[in-house]
């Protein structure tokens, strides 16, 4: 099922509201896991399988920590996972980067770590390199913002 830009924006707003509510409720850092999926189709069986794999790998990385709250959602606008974890935000970011860099399929994982104030930790702030474009190896945010590559080329990769 293809979705519209309006639906994507509404889903983003709902996700931000949910993040704020969880941070307020638990007063602990939060991991928000979504998928980087190019194009208007954000959910299908293959994406669902990738999301399940990402959750499995993330849980393995967090196995020695206390997960206070976990919830998973799937919708036509994509998959979302929320993990409230009793640990330092920087430690959580180190662990999510390990998952995101684990295997080629993990390039589709987007695991944001939010501190108690709702600020997103950047991988570069911990000395990790920024994410690279799937196609050309340039910084991913540059290609994404400039729409340097077609949706078809990204989907094919």
């Amino acid at each position: 099922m293809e979705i519209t830009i309006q639906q994507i924006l509404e889903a983003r707003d709902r996700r931000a509201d949910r993040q704020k509510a969880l941070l307020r409720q638990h007063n602990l850092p939060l991991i928000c896991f979504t998928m980087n999926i190019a194009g208007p189709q954000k959910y299908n069986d293959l994406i669902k399988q990738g999301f399940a794999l990402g959750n499995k790998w993330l849980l393995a990385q967090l196995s020695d920590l206390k997960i206070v709250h976990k919830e998973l959602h799937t919708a036509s606008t994509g998959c979302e996972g929320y993990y409230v974890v009793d640990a330092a935000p920087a430690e959580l970011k180190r662990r999510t980067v390990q998952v995101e860099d684990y295997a080629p399929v993990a390039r589709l994982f987007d695991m944001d770590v939010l501190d108690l104030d709702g600020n997103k930790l950047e991988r570069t702030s911990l000395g990790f390199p920024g994410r690279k474009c799937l196609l050309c190896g340039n910084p991913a945010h540059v290609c994404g913002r400039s729409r340097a590559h077609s949706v078809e080329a990204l989907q094919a990769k």
Side-chain angles (χ1 to χ4, degrees):
M1 173 182 191
E2 292 190 3
I3 60 170
T4 65
I5 293 292
Q6 183 63 34
Q7 289 172 302
I8 292 171
L9 295 175
E10 289 168 359
R12 186 179 298 162
D13 288 343
R14 281 192 304 275
R15 191 165 46 252
D17 289 344
R18 187 65 189 137
Q19 291 168 351
K20 288 176 191 169
L22 288 169
L23 289 167
R24 230 181 0 259
Q25 179 182 356
H26 297 284
N27 199 35
L28 288 168
L30 171 68
I31 298 169
C32 183
F33 171 31
T34 57
M35 301 281 286
N36 290 315
I37 305 296
Q41 185 175 356
K42 303 295 183 189
Y43 184 77
N44 60 29
D45 285 339
L46 192 56
I47 294 167
K48 181 180 174 182
Q49 290 173 17
F51 185 68
L53 183 62
N55 280 294
K56 177 181 174 182
W57 291 347
L58 180 58
L59 285 171
Q61 278 294 326
L62 303 176
S63 65
D64 63 325
L65 300 175
K66 182 178 180 185
I67 299 172
V68 175
H69 178 86
K70 172 187 161 194
E71 63 185 75
L72 304 175
H73 301 280
T74 55
S76 62
T77 53
C79 301
E80 300 174 1
Y82 301 90
Y83 294 82
V84 178
V85 185
D86 191 359
E91 178 60 23
L92 295 177
K93 188 62 184 177
R94 278 190 280 281
R95 292 178 187 221
T96 59
V97 168
Q98 288 178 336
V99 175
E100 289 176 337
D101 292 348
Y102 182 67
V105 69
R107 180 58 190 84
L108 299 177
F109 302 160
D110 186 10
M111 297 183 177
D112 292 336
V113 174
L114 287 81
D115 67 15
L116 301 183
D117 296 321
N119 299 312
K120 188 169 82 166
L121 276 71
E122 299 295 334
R123 51 178 37 229
T124 53
S125 71
L126 297 176
F128 293 102
R131 295 191 92 174
K132 301 290 184 192
C133 173
L134 281 169
L135 298 176
C136 69
N138 287 330
H141 70 277
V142 172
C143 290
R145 287 191 185 133
S146 68
R147 298 183 188 237
H149 311 290
S150 71
V151 169
E152 294 78 19
L154 289 165
Q155 287 174 334
K157 179 67 175 169

Short mmCIF file of all heavy atoms in Angstrom, two decimals, residues 1 7 12 14 25 29 35 58 79 86 92 96 99-100 105 107 113-114 116 124 129 143 151-152:
data_model
loop_
_atom_site.label_atom_id
_atom_site.label_comp_id
_atom_site.label_asym_id
_atom_site.label_seq_id
_atom_site.Cartn_x
_atom_site.Cartn_y
_atom_site.Cartn_z
N MET A 1 0.83 -1.18 0.00
CA MET A 1 0.00 0.00 0.00
C MET A 1 0.88 1.25 0.00
O MET A 1 1.76 1.40 0.84
CB MET A 1 -0.89 -0.02 1.25
CG MET A 1 -1.67 1.23 1.45
SD MET A 1 -2.64 1.09 2.97
CE MET A 1 -3.66 2.50 2.76
N GLN A 7 0.53 11.48 5.16
CA GLN A 7 0.50 10.36 6.11
C GLN A 7 1.85 10.18 6.79
O GLN A 7 1.91 9.87 7.99
CB GLN A 7 0.09 9.07 5.39
CG GLN A 7 -1.36 9.04 4.98
CD GLN A 7 -1.66 7.84 4.10
OE1 GLN A 7 -1.06 7.67 3.04
NE2 GLN A 7 -2.60 7.00 4.55
N ARG A 12 5.07 10.88 11.69
CA ARG A 12 6.23 11.48 12.35
C ARG A 12 5.79 12.27 13.58
O ARG A 12 6.42 12.20 14.64
CB ARG A 12 6.98 12.38 11.37
CG ARG A 12 8.28 12.94 11.94
CD ARG A 12 9.01 13.79 10.94
NE ARG A 12 9.39 13.01 9.77
CZ ARG A 12 9.73 13.51 8.60
NH1 ARG A 12 9.74 14.82 8.42
NH2 ARG A 12 10.07 12.73 7.61
N ARG A 14 3.01 11.78 15.35
CA ARG A 14 2.56 10.81 16.37
C ARG A 14 3.76 10.17 17.07
O ARG A 14 3.74 9.98 18.29
CB ARG A 14 1.70 9.72 15.72
CG ARG A 14 0.26 10.13 15.46
CD ARG A 14 -0.61 8.93 15.08
NE ARG A 14 -0.13 8.18 13.94
CZ ARG A 14 -0.40 8.46 12.67
NH1 ARG A 14 -1.15 9.50 12.37
NH2 ARG A 14 0.08 7.71 11.70
N GLN A 25 7.00 9.88 31.18
CA GLN A 25 6.50 8.82 32.06
C GLN A 25 7.61 8.09 32.81
O GLN A 25 7.46 7.79 33.99
CB GLN A 25 5.70 7.82 31.22
CG GLN A 25 5.13 6.65 32.01
CD GLN A 25 4.39 5.67 31.11
OE1 GLN A 25 4.21 5.89 29.92
NE2 GLN A 25 3.95 4.57 31.71
N PRO A 29 16.30 7.27 29.28
CA PRO A 29 16.54 7.39 27.84
C PRO A 29 15.66 6.43 27.03
O PRO A 29 15.19 5.40 27.54
CB PRO A 29 18.01 7.02 27.68
CG PRO A 29 18.59 6.93 29.03
CD PRO A 29 17.48 6.83 30.00
N MET A 35 12.58 2.10 10.27
CA MET A 35 13.30 1.60 9.11
C MET A 35 13.47 2.73 8.08
O MET A 35 12.55 3.52 7.88
CB MET A 35 12.53 0.45 8.46
CG MET A 35 12.27 -0.74 9.37
SD MET A 35 13.68 -1.82 9.56
CE MET A 35 13.70 -2.64 7.98
N LEU A 58 18.80 -5.87 18.30
CA LEU A 58 18.81 -4.84 19.33
C LEU A 58 18.64 -5.46 20.71
O LEU A 58 19.38 -5.12 21.65
CB LEU A 58 17.72 -3.81 19.06
CG LEU A 58 17.62 -2.67 20.07
CD1 LEU A 58 18.92 -1.89 20.19
CD2 LEU A 58 16.47 -1.74 19.69
N CYS A 79 7.18 0.61 10.40
CA CYS A 79 7.35 -0.10 11.67
C CYS A 79 8.01 0.85 12.67
O CYS A 79 8.88 1.64 12.31
CB CYS A 79 8.26 -1.31 11.48
SG CYS A 79 7.66 -2.50 10.27
N ASP A 86 17.13 1.53 31.19
CA ASP A 86 17.82 2.12 32.34
C ASP A 86 19.33 2.03 32.11
O ASP A 86 19.99 1.09 32.56
CB ASP A 86 17.42 1.39 33.63
CG ASP A 86 17.88 2.11 34.88
OD1 ASP A 86 18.53 3.17 34.76
OD2 ASP A 86 17.60 1.60 35.98
N LEU A 92 23.83 3.56 25.26
CA LEU A 92 22.78 3.06 24.36
C LEU A 92 23.11 3.39 22.91
O LEU A 92 22.91 2.56 22.02
CB LEU A 92 21.41 3.63 24.74
CG LEU A 92 20.87 3.21 26.11
CD1 LEU A 92 19.55 3.91 26.40
CD2 LEU A 92 20.71 1.69 26.17
N THR A 96 23.46 0.84 19.79
CA THR A 96 22.61 0.90 18.59
C THR A 96 23.45 1.06 17.33
O THR A 96 23.11 0.51 16.28
CB THR A 96 21.55 2.02 18.67
OG1 THR A 96 22.18 3.29 18.83
CG2 THR A 96 20.57 1.76 19.82
N VAL A 99 24.51 -2.26 16.20
CA VAL A 99 23.44 -2.96 15.47
C VAL A 99 23.32 -2.40 14.05
O VAL A 99 23.26 -3.15 13.08
CB VAL A 99 22.09 -2.86 16.21
CG1 VAL A 99 20.97 -3.48 15.38
CG2 VAL A 99 22.17 -3.51 17.58
N GLU A 100 23.29 -1.06 13.94
CA GLU A 100 23.13 -0.43 12.62
C GLU A 100 24.27 -0.76 11.67
O GLU A 100 24.09 -0.74 10.46
CB GLU A 100 23.04 1.09 12.78
CG GLU A 100 21.76 1.58 13.40
CD GLU A 100 21.76 3.08 13.63
OE1 GLU A 100 22.86 3.70 13.72
OE2 GLU A 100 20.67 3.65 13.73
N VAL A 105 22.05 -5.47 5.66
CA VAL A 105 20.63 -5.20 5.85
C VAL A 105 20.40 -4.17 6.97
O VAL A 105 19.42 -3.43 6.95
CB VAL A 105 19.83 -6.49 6.13
CG1 VAL A 105 20.17 -7.08 7.49
CG2 VAL A 105 18.33 -6.25 6.02
N ARG A 107 21.73 -1.50 7.39
CA ARG A 107 21.77 -0.13 6.86
C ARG A 107 20.36 0.46 6.78
O ARG A 107 20.18 1.67 6.79
CB ARG A 107 22.45 -0.13 5.48
CG ARG A 107 22.56 1.24 4.84
CD ARG A 107 23.33 2.20 5.74
NE ARG A 107 23.25 3.55 5.24
CZ ARG A 107 22.25 4.39 5.48
NH1 ARG A 107 21.21 4.02 6.17
NH2 ARG A 107 22.28 5.61 5.00
N VAL A 113 18.57 7.38 19.63
CA VAL A 113 18.62 7.39 21.09
C VAL A 113 18.32 8.81 21.53
O VAL A 113 18.98 9.75 21.09
CB VAL A 113 19.99 6.92 21.62
CG1 VAL A 113 20.06 7.09 23.13
CG2 VAL A 113 20.26 5.48 21.20
N LEU A 114 17.32 8.94 22.40
CA LEU A 114 16.94 10.24 22.94
C LEU A 114 17.30 10.30 24.42
O LEU A 114 17.01 9.35 25.18
CB LEU A 114 15.44 10.49 22.77
CG LEU A 114 14.99 10.79 21.35
CD1 LEU A 114 14.85 9.51 20.55
CD2 LEU A 114 13.69 11.53 21.35
N LEU A 116 17.19 12.30 28.28
CA LEU A 116 16.05 12.64 29.12
C LEU A 116 15.34 13.91 28.69
O LEU A 116 14.15 14.09 28.97
CB LEU A 116 16.49 12.78 30.59
CG LEU A 116 17.13 11.54 31.21
CD1 LEU A 116 17.46 11.79 32.67
CD2 LEU A 116 16.24 10.33 31.05
N THR A 124 28.19 10.70 15.41
CA THR A 124 29.47 11.42 15.27
C THR A 124 29.91 12.05 16.59
O THR A 124 31.11 12.23 16.81
CB THR A 124 29.38 12.50 14.18
OG1 THR A 124 28.25 13.36 14.46
CG2 THR A 124 29.21 11.88 12.80
N PRO A 129 31.75 7.25 12.66
CA PRO A 129 31.53 7.97 11.40
C PRO A 129 30.03 8.11 11.11
O PRO A 129 29.22 7.29 11.56
CB PRO A 129 32.19 7.06 10.35
CG PRO A 129 32.25 5.71 10.98
CD PRO A 129 32.32 5.92 12.46
N CYS A 143 22.89 13.17 0.49
CA CYS A 143 22.17 12.58 -0.64
C CYS A 143 20.67 12.57 -0.39
O CYS A 143 19.88 12.82 -1.30
CB CYS A 143 22.66 11.15 -0.90
SG CYS A 143 24.34 11.10 -1.57
N VAL A 151 14.30 7.01 -6.31
CA VAL A 151 13.69 6.01 -5.42
C VAL A 151 13.91 4.60 -6.01
O VAL A 151 14.22 3.66 -5.27
CB VAL A 151 12.18 6.30 -5.24
CG1 VAL A 151 11.47 5.14 -4.57
CG2 VAL A 151 12.00 7.58 -4.44
N GLU A 152 13.79 4.50 -7.32
CA GLU A 152 13.96 3.20 -7.97
C GLU A 152 15.37 2.63 -7.76
O GLU A 152 15.53 1.44 -7.49
CB GLU A 152 13.67 3.31 -9.48
CG GLU A 152 12.21 3.64 -9.81
CD GLU A 152 11.86 5.12 -9.62
OE1 GLU A 152 12.77 5.98 -9.58
OE2 GLU A 152 10.65 5.41 -9.48
#
